[in-house]
Amino acid sequence: FPNVAAAITEQSENSGSHPNKNYCYITGESDICPTPLPLSHIKSAADIASLGENIILVDVRPKREPYLHGLKNAERVPNKPKKIAKFLKTVADDATIVVFCAEGTLAFHAAKAMRKAFKGKLVWIDNGGYEDVKQIKGIQKL
């Protein structure tokens, strides 16, 4: 369906929120798009570890009820421009950032915001969130 890709690209480029999720699925990682990683493609923590060196899990859920609990090995970075900028100052250029949230959409928006300042490997987990991520075998040891 070559016309579908063209239609998604045109729709994204004509919107105020370019790029959108569908555009990033079609183009993959770029200077404006983080890499999408559907939850269905993750069988264990080894799949995440294989994304690169120096993996940093980032939980972008708000720090309020019902999101108080999180993974012990994940950074908590609410999807706020100042919080993201402060976090990115602490990240090495060779790091691989893997972003997740409650469901997937907020992870995309946070990763898209991070992409503006971070040029390293940047991945967001889609089609699932914290409740699904914490069930991934070996995730607590990553």
Side-chain angles (χ1 to χ4, degrees):
F1 296 101
N3 294 336
V4 173
I8 289 171
T9 300
E10 181 180 341
Q11 186 272 334
S12 180
E13 290 173 348
N14 291 335
S15 74
S17 61
H18 179 66
N20 62 26
K21 285 172 67 171
N22 293 333
Y23 180 86
C24 290
Y25 266 99
I26 290 171
T27 63
E29 188 168 25
S30 69
D31 59 336
I32 61 171
C33 280
T35 303
L37 178 60
L39 186 65
S40 61
H41 289 73
I42 306 170
K43 302 300 180 216
S44 70
D47 294 330
I48 294 174
S50 70
L51 295 172
E53 299 291 323
N54 193 12
I55 302 287
I56 302 172
L57 293 174
V58 178
D59 182 349
V60 296
R61 296 174 303 145
K63 289 185 177 180
R64 60 175 164 72
E65 289 287 349
Y67 309 118
L68 293 177
H69 302 289
L71 296 175
K72 292 177 185 172
N73 56 334
E75 298 281 338
R76 289 298 294 266
V77 183
N79 187 21
K80 305 285 184 197
K82 288 183 181 179
K83 300 282 186 182
I84 289 173
K86 184 177 178 181
F87 164 71
L88 290 176
K89 287 180 183 177
T90 68
V91 176
D93 292 339
D94 67 340
T96 299
I97 299 175
V98 179
V99 182
F100 66 92
C101 65
E103 297 173 357
T105 301
L106 186 60
F108 168 71
H109 291 293
K112 187 168 98 170
M114 289 179 192
R115 172 52 70 216
K116 293 175 183 174
F118 182 71
K119 299 306 175 194
K121 182 85 170 163
L122 183 57
V123 177
W124 98 87
I125 296 177
D126 196 17
N127 302 325
Y130 169 73
E131 292 298 325
D132 302 300
V133 171
K134 74 178 186 179
Q135 301 299 323
I136 296 171
K137 184 178 179 181
I139 195 72
Q140 295 289 356
K141 297 177 184 174
L142 188 63

